[in-house]
Amino acid sequence: MSLSIDAIKVGSEKHPKPADIHFQYGTAGFRTLGGVLDSVLFRVGILAALRSKRLDGRTIGVMVTASHNPEPDNGVKLVDPRGEMLEASWEVHATTLSNAPTTDALIEALNSLIQTAKIDLSKPARVVYARDTRPSGPALVAALEDGFKAIGAEARDAGVTTTPILHYFVRAINTKGTQYSYGEDSEDGYFRKLSDAYKKLVTGRPPASPLLIDCANGVGAIAAKKLANYLGDSLPFTLENTAITTEGALNNACGADFVKTSQKLPPSLSNVMKPGQRACSLDGDADRLIYFYLDERGVFHMLDGDKIAALVAAFIVEQVKIADLEDKVKVGVVQTAYANGASTKYLQERLPVKCVPTGVKHLHHAAERYDVGVYFEANGHGTVLFSDDTLATLHEHQPSTPAQSRGLENLISLTNVINQTVGDALSDMLLVEVVLSHKSYSGVEWDSLYVDLPNRLVKVVVADRNAFKTEDAERRLVSPPGLQSKIDDLVNKHQGGRSFVRPSGTEDVVRVYAEANLKAQADELAFRVAGLVYDEAGGDPVSRPKEFL
Ligand code: G16
């Protein structure tokens, strides 16, 4: 069986590649201005179908989103059968296909992929796809559907939903009717799974005080509203920043990325939040979560992905101990270089901790090596993975006391409240609420697990971010040559200093992170390193940002 060349030709002519753009499958798929992605979506449709054929017709997910990016951006990423990110070797195929300059070149690239990846075209192709609320979404989905049609894929439209729900669907579809069944492959199945587990975990606990959820004016607003119906009064919450149809509102001065980067309360919440109240922000596609609270004096305190990891890991370790499973179930944590030094120290004193490059795919794979792998990026993207062996252990274990039995039941419910396919803001929110409830913690007690080192994150716009290459889990630069030793010199001049530079995989910028013992020192270090990066990358002196030192 061969490709239906005519159908692909017709589709490809309808979705021509812009001549002057080089596309790249980055940290989380393709991501750039929504208006230039038409050809990419058509080709991703074909690629997803080929990936499915390669995997014997197992369902592949396609999510159209640019997550935390501003509204004019959009993107697309593929989801592998267990709900995890696309296998790295296929990211290269995605980049190659997206850059084929003409229809003929595209067909040649497809044939070459079919041969090298040994794809049997007679196998079925099954995909499930969804989009977030971005205005550019419908047109991009139409291009994607043209790709599915051109190759004859069986495609299921999951509509407008969150990225983690799409990941859940993929795993649920592929495990349906097997011993590994992940749940019903519907939104109802997802919400029921999470909310039933949450309710079990908080049974008998005092009622939670109301939570405020900043929905980033994105698709999380729709999902959170649905979740409320399933939770009833087991978790009272109010939704803010739910303007999903207001132009330009998405992720604008709100949402998880805004809170984490600016370390501030979204201005839209300043009149809504009260001292002592806890709140959380989702990002544009609800795969990231950042908590925060106002103390009694009304001062803002952020509880980021590192704080979530510390809270959750300690709770799981405690439940494992209560269930008398310490010998059989080992918990480990995975972080990236962005993890606050204080969080790494806190965790390393208690558990094995690994540092990997940015990107959920790296964290996810590292976490799979533990019995229970807790992974969170500082930006609030993360989850907890329970290995198949651990799941079997939990289901086979015979507790010998009522306390052990409760610990075991809690662990089993945790495996259900957690979306183990990918970081999921709503599932993570329920997880955090469970732990806060069990520990009787307010934001203050949670925050005091450790004190964050002051830190600063800065973006630098450069001509070519690909000139920046890193090693040692992105903690050191190998290119441009000589820049790392200049950074080292600066770091040594700041007490408790640490800084690293890496190219973003989702935005056309280089990111600079710095921390130090004092806030002023962390800011200074970040802006000095940003200045170095800007000058080194040949930035125009006239447009050099004035805060760079
Ligand atoms: C994506 C990835 C995250 C990553 C973030 C920023 O998040 O899934 O793992 O931390 O991009 O990546 P970078 O620093 O390379 O731009 P999201 O929420 O935007 O999908």
Side-chain angles (χ1 to χ4, degrees):
M1 203 170 158
S2 60
L3 282 177
S4 140
I5 302 287
D6 288 345
I8 291 178
K9 270 191 175 160
V10 172
S12 173
E13 293 299 316
K14 191 174 154 196
H15 303 283
K17 177 186 178 292
D20 50 349
I21 300 180
H22 178 82
F23 296 108
Q24 198 174 339
Y25 198 97
T27 311
F30 294 102
R31 215 175 269 191
T32 183
L33 283 172
V36 303
L37 277 168
D38 180 71
S39 61
V40 171
L41 268 287
F42 171 73
R43 293 166 187 209
V44 163
I46 298 175
L47 183 72
L50 289 177
R51 177 89 183 132
S52 172
K53 284 177 186 285
R54 177 67 185 86
L55 299 177
D56 225 1
R58 294 213 285 162
T59 296
I60 296 296
V62 185
M63 183 70 202
V64 180
T65 178
S67 194
H68 75 277
N69 293 49
E71 188 166 295
D73 286 357
N74 212 328
V76 59
K77 68 173 180 181
L78 296 187
V79 179
D80 261 356
R82 282 173 55 84
E84 73 280 41
M85 301 288 191
L86 177 68
E87 184 187 291
S89 63
W90 275 63
E91 294 182 358
V92 182
H93 301 321
T95 299
T96 306
L97 284 191
S98 67
N99 288 303
T102 60
T103 295
D104 286 347
L106 172 64
I107 288 166
E108 204 183 308
L110 286 170
N111 280 324
S112 147
L113 168 60
I114 289 161
Q115 273 185 5
T116 48
K118 299 194 176 64
I119 298 169
D120 178 352
L121 291 175
S122 68
K123 297 277 179 175
R126 300 189 180 100
V127 289
V128 56
Y129 60 104
R131 67 173 173 91
D132 67 15
T133 53
R134 279 162 209 269
S136 55
L140 292 178
V141 162
L144 181 71
E145 287 167 339
D146 280 353
F148 296 149
K149 271 182 226 134
I151 194 160
E154 205 181 293
R156 170 172 160 185
D157 184 0
V160 175
T161 195
T162 72
T163 294
I165 290 180
L166 190 266
H167 283 253
Y168 166 91
F169 277 168
V170 173
R171 177 117 151 217
I173 292 169
N174 286 310
T175 55
K176 207 172 181 168
T178 73
Q179 59 165 322
Y180 300 108
S181 171
Y182 196 60
E184 234 178 73
D185 57 334
S186 62
E187 276 199 347
D188 176 58
Y190 166 88
F191 287 120
R192 257 192 303 114
K193 180 175 177 178
L194 264 56
S195 56
D196 287 353
Y198 172 80
K199 285 182 199 162
K200 257 193 198 160
L201 281 157
V202 297
T203 301
R205 310 292 316 165
S209 61
L211 173 70
L212 190 148
I213 307 176
D214 157 22
C215 300
N217 294 315
V219 67
I222 304 173
K225 206 167 169 192
K226 291 181 186 166
L227 179 63
N229 297 330
Y230 288 83
L231 290 174
D233 51 16
S234 65
L235 178 61
F237 56 74
T238 51
L239 302 181
E240 295 292 336
N241 295 322
T242 57
I244 56 172
T245 54
T246 304
E247 204 181 312
L250 181 70
N251 294 326
N252 188 3
C254 62
D257 198 54
F258 172 85
V259 174
K260 173 64 185 162
T261 313
S262 59
Q263 305 183 19
K264 279 199 306 229
L265 186 69
S268 48
L269 302 187
S270 55
N271 291 328
V272 185
M273 259 187 97
K274 297 183 184 64
Q277 194 176 9
R278 75 195 186 294
C280 61
S281 286
L282 322 179
D283 72 341
D285 62 342
D287 59 4
R288 293 195 202 177
L289 179 73
I290 299 284
Y291 262 75
F292 45 92
Y293 68 97
L294 298 183
D295 66 20
E296 278 168 7
R297 289 174 300 134
V299 176
F300 168 84
H301 296 264
M302 179 174 69
L303 297 148
D304 64 2
D306 298 336
K307 282 264 156 88
I308 297 176
L311 181 79
V312 165
F315 182 69
I316 294 175
V317 168
E318 188 180 277
Q319 297 304 313
V320 167
K321 203 167 168 185
I322 294 174
D324 193 29
L325 282 167
E326 268 174 309
D327 293 342
K328 293 188 185 146
V329 178
K330 304 283 179 207
V331 182
V333 179
V334 187
Q335 301 186 310
T336 72
Y338 289 110
N340 193 278
S343 82
T344 309
K345 184 164 174 286
Y346 174 88
L347 286 164
Q348 272 174 344
E349 284 164 4
R350 292 159 175 84
L351 294 162
V353 179
K354 190 159 170 41
C355 180
V356 299
T358 300
V360 165
K361 60 192 171 203
H362 299 298
L363 290 112
H364 195 92
H365 288 138
E368 278 175 333
R369 294 196 197 103
Y370 295 116
D371 297 331
V372 180
V374 177
Y375 75 81
F376 274 91
E377 293 183 290
N379 63 25
H381 209 151
T383 186
V384 181
L385 305 182
F386 294 79
S387 71
D388 286 344
D389 283 352
T390 302
L391 290 176
T393 303
L394 296 182
H395 289 285
E396 284 156 13
H397 184 63
Q398 297 291 334
S400 39
T401 65
Q404 286 181 14
S405 170
R406 269 196 309 278
L408 184 64
E409 276 167 27
N410 285 343
L411 286 169
I412 292 173
S413 294
L414 286 174
T415 67
N416 290 321
V417 84
I418 295 168
N419 182 346
Q420 293 180 55
T421 63
V422 79
D424 180 335
L426 294 176
S427 151
D428 290 339
M429 178 187 86
L430 295 179
L431 173 61
V432 166
E433 290 298 320
V434 164
V435 185
L436 296 181
S437 164
H438 275 252
K439 306 297 292 180
S440 305
Y441 281 175
S442 68
V444 183
E445 285 92 14
W446 175 13
D447 201 16
S448 63
L449 291 180
Y450 62 84
V451 179
D452 268 323
L453 279 171
N455 58 90
R456 186 82 189 221
L457 199 55
V458 176
K459 293 181 194 180
V460 187
V461 179
V462 297
D464 178 17
R465 68 185 147 124
N466 292 318
F468 290 76
K469 304 241 181 309
T470 61
E471 61 177 10
D472 188 21
E474 304 184 318
R475 287 174 286 197
R476 299 193 62 81
L477 270 182
V478 288
S479 167
L483 186 52
Q484 184 61 51
S485 67
K486 292 182 190 165
I487 297 172
D488 291 342
D489 288 346
L490 282 175
V491 166
N492 290 334
K493 289 184 189 133
H494 295 77
Q495 254 206 354
R498 182 169 76 92
S499 180
F500 65 89
V501 169
R502 57 173 286 277
S504 162
T506 61
E507 295 172 62
D508 200 5
V509 296
V510 165
R511 298 197 200 279
V512 173
Y513 176 84
E515 63 186 31
N517 286 348
L518 298 172
K519 178 71 181 136
Q521 291 267 298
D523 289 347
E524 183 189 281
L525 180 57
F527 287 124
R528 281 202 185 284
V529 174
L532 267 183
V533 168
Y534 188 84
D535 298 341
E536 187 73 33
D540 174 5
V542 178
S543 42
R544 193 181 196 276
K546 58 179 182 329
E547 63 273 25
F548 290 2
L549 302 171

